[in-house]
Amino acid sequence: MSSRRVSWKNVVFSAAALVALVLLIVESPLGMDGPSKAAGVVLVIAATLWITEVVPLFVTSLVVLFCCLVWVRPVLEQSGNPVEATKFLAPFFSDIILLFLGGFVLSSALHKYQLDHRIALAIITRTGRSIPRLLFGVMLLTACLSMWLSNTATAATMLALCLPFIRSLPPNDRYRQALLLGIAFAANLGGLGTPIGSPPNAIALQYMRQAGLAPQFWMWMLIGVPGVVVMLTLTWALLLYLFRGQQREVEVAADQPVNGLNKRSWIVIGGTLVTIAGWMTTESHGYSAGTVALVPLVLFFGLKILSVEDLRALSWDVLLLMGGGGCLGVAIDLSGLDDWIIGNIPLHDSSVFTVMVAFGLLAIVMSSVMSNTATANLLLPIVMGLAISSVTPVMIGVAFACSLAMPLPISTPPNAMAFGTGELKTIDMLKPGLVIAVVGAMLAFSTGYWWWDIVGLF
């Protein structure tokens, strides 16, 4: 008799599907009206698919769009609240999508002309042969790059660059794990520093911008960069404590082939600097960050610095994923589901700090076992609808909490990349990942909250 293993994903999927079915059968569960019930079922379906990943995450976003157009919109019309289809389509090409598209194009150009490799090699060479110094240099560089580029692309670049150094160490040397985890964790932490550093930041910014509450680009950096510096230092010390190896020094090879700077390379450098300057000064010139992100697209593709093949290679699935989250947020808002949820949670009369801690801890738990982007897509629309005096710090706190959750390979793409090298076990990532999540959340909810008040966030 053959035995069949039951996947926990299938169990969760089946349970959630049953809940959705019950919601469909019951006429008015818990006092929900037709539109909020329809949006609630879409939310359950999206959450189930995002958590279990039984289909690619971007497919779930398209499922959300389909459900909104063929079900939620007609239900809204029947209830006397007609809504244009463009309301649900707009999040798939919003200002925030342009912002991320610009980031992807910068990353592609820097990688194609080996400028990321050149910068990385220059800094790594300057860290010297000491492994603790090399680890700190690698983590610092990874975090700095991750503030401006995709943390996934940053981790991929740094892993490709550092694997030769890592594998030159003895097979059983614990510093091998320390270097791999340092790259993954630094890529996650660096994303806290800028609005474009990680998808949860961008999602939070999108909702706050719609409500006219979004902080300026420089303000976000003032909020996030100190946290990056503190957490990076603590993570470095933690990795050296947990993964103390035997070999204290390594030969840092500086002879990897790098092409010289040509005219196209200088155009990439100039375009990158202009774009970053534009993002830093949106308040002065009045153009949104998404509009500024068109500069590298027009410049690099117009001058054939990048090709059509490079355009096709961009992470369009990530953009679709973000669009689905925005579409779900529109459905939750227009249907009144956010008001129903707010009216049925015990945090209605709680302080801003209590709400931030509660949702932050929930975000950490959810992000540990599912995509931090999907978690942000689920929680931030609900937070945005809370009737509290200052929603901005709660939105940023939840976005930070999503990025701080990194105990498992599935928690973030950089973690998955480091795990994919075959050098790590799950327990290697679990121990430091849990410590970073707990310590990071405690700092964000204590000194971070105090600092955000000092700089004038709320």
Side-chain angles (χ1 to χ4, degrees):
M1 180 179 176
S2 61
S3 61
R4 180 176 178 272
R5 294 185 60 186
V6 179
S7 166
W8 68 270
K9 289 185 176 181
N10 290 336
V11 173
V12 173
F13 178 80
S14 300
L18 180 62
V19 171
L21 183 61
V22 170
L23 286 172
L24 281 170
I25 294 174
V26 177
E27 185 175 355
S28 298
L30 301 176
M32 297 173 72
D33 58 12
S36 59
K37 185 175 68 174
V41 173
V42 176
L43 174 62
V44 171
I45 293 173
T48 304
L49 294 179
W50 273 328
I51 292 172
T52 60
E53 296 187 57
V54 293
V55 297
L57 297 180
F58 74 93
V59 175
T60 302
S61 292
L62 298 177
V63 170
V64 170
L65 176 62
F66 180 78
C67 291
C68 288
L69 292 176
V70 303
W71 186 23
V72 176
R73 181 169 173 249
V75 170
L76 282 169
E77 288 180 345
Q78 292 170 7
S79 65
N81 297 307
V83 177
E84 295 292 333
T86 52
K87 284 279 187 180
F88 299 107
L89 295 170
F92 285 85
F93 202 77
S94 63
D95 188 77
I96 207 70
I97 297 294
L98 274 181
L99 175 60
F100 254 70
L101 185 59
F104 290 159
V105 169
L106 284 182
S107 175
S108 177
L110 290 171
H111 181 69
K112 183 172 184 176
Y113 292 93
Q114 295 188 306
L115 294 172
D116 55 350
H117 184 92
R118 182 184 294 275
I119 296 169
L121 190 59
I123 294 182
I124 288 175
T125 302
R126 285 165 174 75
T127 61
R129 299 173 59 192
S130 165
I131 292 181
R133 288 177 58 188
L134 175 63
L135 174 62
F136 189 79
V138 167
M139 291 179 64
L140 181 62
L141 173 60
T142 304
C144 290
L145 290 176
S146 186
M147 288 184 191
W148 305 102
L149 309 176
S150 157
N151 56 11
T152 306
T154 302
T157 299
M158 292 303 297
L159 284 171
L161 181 65
C162 295
L163 275 178
F165 310 141
I166 294 170
R167 288 175 173 162
S168 69
L169 295 170
N172 296 324
D173 196 298
R174 298 284 281 168
Y175 281 136
R176 292 166 70 110
Q177 285 85 13
L179 284 162
L180 287 169
L181 291 171
I183 292 171
F185 292 161
N188 298 328
L189 293 172
L192 301 176
T194 65
I196 62 169
S198 73
N201 294 3
I203 295 167
L205 195 67
Q206 176 173 261
Y207 285 116
M208 289 188 289
R209 183 165 293 159
Q210 290 172 353
L213 301 172
Q216 296 296 322
F217 202 99
W218 63 268
M219 170 66 85
W220 189 293
M221 292 191 66
L222 197 60
I223 295 166
V225 170
V228 174
V229 174
V230 172
M231 287 306 301
L232 207 64
T233 305
L234 292 177
T235 303
W236 171 73
L238 178 67
L239 291 177
L240 288 180
Y241 174 75
L242 292 177
F243 300 94
R244 184 175 296 277
Q246 299 299 319
Q247 186 165 316
R248 300 292 298 175
E249 295 184 344
V250 65
E251 290 295 335
V252 182
D255 56 353
Q256 295 189 35
V258 178
N259 296 333
L261 292 176
N262 53 29
K263 182 180 178 181
R264 290 170 175 256
S265 302
W266 284 111
I267 292 175
V268 173
I269 294 172
T272 302
L273 293 177
V274 168
T275 304
I276 292 174
W279 283 336
M280 296 285 292
T281 56
T282 52
E283 190 176 12
S284 300
H285 54 67
Y287 295 105
S288 69
T291 303
V292 174
L294 288 172
V295 171
L297 272 85
V298 174
L299 184 65
F300 296 162
F301 287 106
L303 296 178
K304 298 184 179 179
I305 302 296
L306 294 176
S307 64
V308 175
E309 287 72 23
D310 296 319
L311 180 68
R312 291 171 180 158
L314 298 179
S315 301
W316 295 102
D317 56 331
V318 175
L319 300 182
L320 285 175
L321 173 62
M322 295 180 61
C327 181
L328 181 61
V330 170
I332 292 173
D333 177 41
L334 295 178
S335 67
L337 179 61
D338 51 352
D339 294 332
W340 182 86
I341 294 174
I342 294 166
N344 287 275
I345 58 176
L347 295 173
H348 181 63
D349 296 323
S350 302
S351 67
V352 172
F353 182 78
T354 302
V355 173
M356 183 181 71
V357 172
F359 274 91
L361 294 177
L362 180 62
I364 286 177
V365 172
M366 292 176 63
S367 291
S368 296
V369 296
M370 60 183 286
S371 160
N372 55 16
T373 303
T375 302
N377 276 330
L378 289 172
L379 292 183
L380 289 173
I382 297 173
V383 173
M384 198 66 212
L386 293 175
I388 53 178
S389 57
S390 182
V391 74
T392 305
V394 183
M395 293 289 285
I396 293 178
V398 172
F400 282 7
C402 290
S403 297
L404 286 169
M406 55 186 88
L408 297 172
I410 62 171
S411 300
T412 68
N415 282 20
M417 287 182 181
F419 191 78
T421 62
E423 299 276 349
L424 297 169
K425 298 178 181 178
T426 302
I427 192 68
D428 295 330
M429 193 170 283
L430 183 64
K431 287 181 179 177
L434 283 175
V435 173
I436 293 169
V438 172
V439 173
M442 291 174 62
L443 289 175
F445 301 154
S446 55
T447 55
Y449 188 78
W450 166 78
W451 171 247
W452 301 347
D453 189 16
I454 292 293
V455 301
L457 180 63
F458 56 95

